[in-house]
Amino acid sequence: MKNIKIVFAFMVLLLNYSCEDVLEIESRNTFTEDFIYSDPDQLERLVFTSYNSTESWGLNKFIWWSRRFNIEGASFEAKFNFRDIDQYRLRAGWNPNNVGVFRDQWRKYYSYIRDILVFLDRVDNSEAMQVDPQKVNMLKAEMKFLLANTYSKLIKYYGGVPLITRALSLDEDFNIPRNSYQECVEFIVQTLDEAADVLPLTRPDDEFGRATKLAALAVKSRTLLYAASELHDPSTLPNGPFYDYNVANKWQEAADAAKAVIDEVGARDLIPVTNAEDYRDLFLSANRDIIFARPFGATFFDFGTDVNSLWNQTQAPSGYGGWALSSPSHNFALLYNMNDGSTTSSSLYDPANPNENREMRYYADLNFNGAEFRNRNVEYFESRDTDIFPHGLDSPFGLGNVLHSSKTGYNIRKFQDESVGLTETSPGRPFILYRLSEIYLNYAEANFQLGEEGIAREYVNKVSTRALQPAITASGADLLEAIKRERRIELSFEGHNFFDERRWMNTDHLGFDIKGLKWYKETDGSFTNEEITVVSRPWFDRQYYLPIPQSEINKTSSLIQNDGY
């Protein structure tokens, strides 16, 4: 493995972002570099800035729009709603000069990596380490966790990337080639193992949002599950060192990584719920099922504390004053089961009454025509005769900015705190990054691939039955599909589906006609609907990965572009 070290001038480190982009701390405004590294408390505040690498409610903080929605609109789950703008450039297609709101991902992640490497290069010989070695070694472990977590996100977008792991002087060669995907995975796993050896298993409530051993093991689990998947098999395209994970026991690795988390928590049941409201509340405050999350408040500041980037306003229907930026597709809504565990292909599903008899998570996750939300029913319908009935309040002729009215007949309800006003904040509301449900689903999927269907059923049912669905009894290909469906629904709108459909190479969910339901109120007061095609999203095989920005290719002759670009 090529271990390349780069040092960056400390003032460049400090000046890279504006004050609105990172946590403002004393060390960045008043004190010298030497002072920071002499004081463990100031050093801790410096570490807090690197927690910005763990993401927030917005996909790209450098673009006004994408501070307010995330990657869900580029997945099978949803689309960007306002004027049907192609914000993610999925319809036009990516090229090295234009990837829509995905731009800056490369620069953003390497900027965080740079900050972390400067810290790791300096900290061992610092006065702060001599003053309080226990605290500073813990901070060092947190930074290793954040380094590995950031690389894990880079390789999901780009495949193998230049693996910069230590610092050299500014006169070193900056012409750094890409490492193989497998080398990157190995480095991530090694770094997480080093961090896990030092980090505490859990944290007290007042340290919620800081790295733990469980968090490091969870990142390892996801990284190895992705690496074992079809997309990274040498037999699939694209292939070659930038994309392949050629390890014979890869599924056992993935299973073992998930099991390491499971063993630490005693394979316990998930927090029980009795209804959709109980389930929805799991996403609004810290709880024991959350392994790692980004809390928003005075300690960890980023976009997300302001009212127009929290999802209360940005995802609520237009008639409430919401912006409804990500509208779930009817294609995705159909993946929610009926309340008896049958699919929407069963006779229990009635296309004329699609919101009846659905599974609990349907009512927890989605706003739909007739859903009771914030003290009234959601009204996407248009009136057949406005002399008899007015158009619905959330329709294209309703209240608010009607350009935000849902184009699909759905909005996202998950993550919305209905105990506060639409334009009020919820201090400490977590942006969840890793939780126990994902680990159980990781373990189920890996064990299915190992031929351990009994274990796979046991762990997928830990998730499914908690959601008040009957136990899954399927086997073979039907069991694998049940595991995938459960992952799509349980982890909906949490940033997984964009990557899951790619690693499964499920092109039917990557290029498709995005469907919606158009609702009408008839003259007799009844409601009818018709299924419509909102937009068509093509699929280009090159878009399993983002292109490396052309500006980076121009600067670094040794960088090789991703296939197809």
Side-chain angles (χ1 to χ4, degrees):
M1 183 185 299
K2 298 180 286 293
N3 293 326
I4 303 168
K5 299 181 173 182
I6 296 179
V7 147
F8 299 86
F10 191 74
M11 288 308 296
V12 174
L13 183 157
L14 298 187
L15 295 174
N16 184 65
Y17 291 125
S18 69
C19 62
E20 67 175 355
D21 290 328
V22 295
L23 170 68
E24 286 301 304
I25 61 172
E26 292 176 287
S27 58
R28 294 207 168 203
N29 289 320
T30 310
F31 301 106
T32 66
E33 177 187 3
D34 288 340
F35 179 83
I36 296 169
Y37 281 92
S38 70
D39 182 344
D41 291 335
Q42 286 295 318
L43 204 58
E44 182 177 51
R45 294 185 179 97
L46 183 62
V47 169
F48 288 169
T49 69
S50 291
Y51 273 89
N52 285 342
S53 67
T54 61
E55 305 297 352
S56 66
W57 300 97
L59 175 64
N60 188 337
K61 70 179 68 178
F62 302 110
I63 303 175
W64 188 91
W65 273 116
S66 56
R67 293 173 187 168
R68 293 158 175 84
F69 60 84
N70 215 300
I71 203 170
E72 69 284 337
S75 73
F76 188 66
E77 298 167 334
K79 61 175 291 295
F80 181 76
N81 188 57
F82 184 76
R83 294 182 182 270
D84 290 327
I85 297 171
D86 190 16
Q87 289 277 14
Y88 302 93
R89 203 174 164 82
L90 293 172
R91 304 201 298 273
W94 298 334
N95 66 65
N97 292 305
N98 194 343
V99 291
V101 292
F102 287 106
R103 77 173 194 249
D104 300 312
Q105 298 297 81
W106 181 279
R107 178 176 70 90
K108 174 180 70 175
Y109 290 134
Y110 272 112
S111 293
Y112 289 127
I113 288 169
R114 179 196 63 198
D115 291 2
I116 295 167
L117 292 178
V118 169
F119 174 95
L120 292 174
D121 180 63
R122 182 87 193 259
V123 71
D124 282 344
N125 297 318
S126 68
E127 184 179 342
M129 181 68 84
Q130 298 174 26
V131 171
D132 192 343
Q134 182 177 7
K135 177 173 183 173
V136 175
N137 273 311
M138 186 67 70
L139 296 175
K140 182 179 175 182
E142 289 180 72
M143 288 296 243
K144 285 188 173 185
F145 165 81
L146 294 171
L147 178 66
N149 187 58
T150 304
Y151 269 121
S152 75
K153 291 185 289 187
L154 267 170
I155 66 172
K156 287 191 298 184
Y157 279 118
Y158 297 101
V161 297
L163 199 54
I164 305 169
T165 64
R166 56 192 177 92
L168 291 175
S169 63
L170 282 170
D171 60 359
E172 292 296 321
D173 184 7
F174 282 67
N175 192 23
I176 306 167
R178 296 172 69 176
N179 285 75
S180 72
Y181 177 80
Q182 188 163 323
E183 287 173 333
C184 292
V185 171
E186 289 168 352
F187 171 76
I188 292 165
V189 168
Q190 175 187 334
T191 306
L192 290 168
D193 285 342
E194 292 172 1
D197 286 342
V198 178
L199 292 168
L201 183 63
T202 58
R203 296 268 189 176
D205 290 348
D206 63 353
E207 293 183 358
F208 176 69
R210 294 184 68 172
T212 62
K213 179 179 181 180
L214 280 180
L217 295 177
V219 179
K220 180 178 176 180
S221 172
R222 187 186 297 178
T223 300
L224 288 174
L225 180 79
Y226 279 36
S229 299
E230 184 178 356
L231 179 62
H232 299 293
D233 192 277
S235 66
T236 62
L237 296 175
N239 57 16
F242 299 146
Y243 316 109
D244 296 348
Y245 192 67
N246 193 14
V247 174
N249 66 334
K250 60 186 181 180
W251 284 111
Q252 190 63 57
E253 281 186 340
D256 291 346
K259 187 63 160 51
V261 180
I262 291 167
D263 287 345
E264 293 289 358
V265 301
R268 63 169 176 78
D269 290 339
L270 300 169
I271 297 170
V273 299
T274 59
N275 54 45
E277 184 177 358
D278 287 350
Y279 182 81
R280 206 157 44 235
D281 286 347
L282 294 175
F283 302 93
L284 300 180
S285 61
N287 61 67
R288 65 177 185 165
D289 284 356
I290 297 175
I291 294 174
F292 184 65
R294 182 70 191 274
F296 288 102
T299 303
F300 299 104
F301 175 80
D302 201 355
F303 290 108
T305 50
D306 59 319
V307 296
N308 65 13
S309 63
L310 276 172
W311 275 19
N312 276 13
Q313 183 170 47
T314 62
Q315 299 295 351
S318 56
Y320 296 81
W323 297 358
L325 293 181
S326 300
S327 51
S329 67
H330 184 54
N331 319 57
F332 182 69
L334 287 172
L335 294 182
Y336 285 83
N337 277 347
M338 308 306 293
N339 57 15
D340 67 352
S342 62
T343 72
T344 52
S345 298
S346 72
S347 59
L348 186 61
Y349 177 71
D350 179 5
N353 298 286
N355 305 318
E356 295 183 1
N357 303 313
R358 302 299 292 273
E359 67 165 287
M360 175 270 292
R361 289 173 296 193
Y362 182 85
Y363 303 106
D365 294 350
L366 300 177
N367 272 318
F368 47 84
N369 191 66
E372 186 177 338
F373 178 66
R374 292 188 178 272
N375 301 315
R376 70 167 174 84
N377 289 345
V378 175
E379 298 181 349
Y380 295 129
F381 62 82
E382 297 177 23
S383 175
R384 293 290 194 186
D385 188 339
T386 54
D387 290 333
I388 301 175
F389 297 109
H391 293 302
L393 298 177
D394 308 297
S395 75
F397 307 98
L399 298 178
N401 184 343
V402 295
L403 293 175
H404 287 291
S405 65
S406 175
K407 309 301 186 293
T408 64
Y410 299 95
N411 287 124
I412 298 173
R413 189 168 188 173
K414 192 176 185 179
F415 309 115
Q416 296 209 40
D417 186 352
E418 297 168 38
S419 71
V420 301
L422 200 70
T423 58
E424 295 176 347
T425 61
S426 304
R429 190 190 317 188
F431 180 77
I432 299 172
L433 296 159
Y434 297 89
R435 58 189 181 97
L436 191 54
S437 290
E438 179 196 348
I439 300 301
Y440 288 164
L441 292 167
N442 293 354
Y443 195 51
E445 184 176 343
N447 272 283
F448 174 86
Q449 297 293 348
L450 291 169
E452 299 288 348
E453 292 195 3
I455 297 175
R457 273 190 295 273
E458 176 186 358
Y459 279 87
V460 72
N461 277 323
K462 280 182 175 290
V463 180
S464 183
T465 57
R466 190 277 293 273
L468 311 182
Q469 285 279 280
I472 293 167
T473 60
S475 60
D478 289 341
L479 175 57
L480 178 59
E481 188 50 44
I483 292 169
K484 290 181 178 180
R485 189 208 76 90
E486 191 61 32
R487 188 176 182 92
R488 291 177 179 117
I489 299 304
E490 176 67 20
L491 304 180
S492 64
F493 313 121
E494 295 180 45
H496 293 268
N497 187 257
F498 176 89
F499 299 106
D500 280 341
E501 304 295 353
R502 280 169 169 74
R503 69 181 179 86
W504 292 329
M505 303 190 79
N506 186 4
T507 55
D508 287 346
H509 284 188
L510 295 170
F512 58 99
D513 290 338
I514 296 175
K515 300 294 186 178
L517 288 183
K518 192 173 182 64
W519 285 91
Y520 298 96
K521 190 167 188 176
E522 303 295 340
T523 56
D524 63 359
S526 63
F527 294 99
T528 59
N529 71 76
E530 63 175 314
E531 184 179 289
I532 61 170
T533 296
V534 182
V535 292
S536 293
R537 182 182 292 172
W539 172 245
F540 308 95
D541 284 341
R542 67 179 183 270
Q543 291 186 184
Y544 284 114
Y545 300 97
L546 286 174
I548 295 172
Q550 188 61 45
S551 59
E552 298 297 328
I553 298 289
N554 293 342
K555 288 187 294 187
T556 309
S557 61
S558 62
L559 271 184
I560 299 174
Q561 183 59 272
N562 274 328
D563 284 8
Y565 297 103

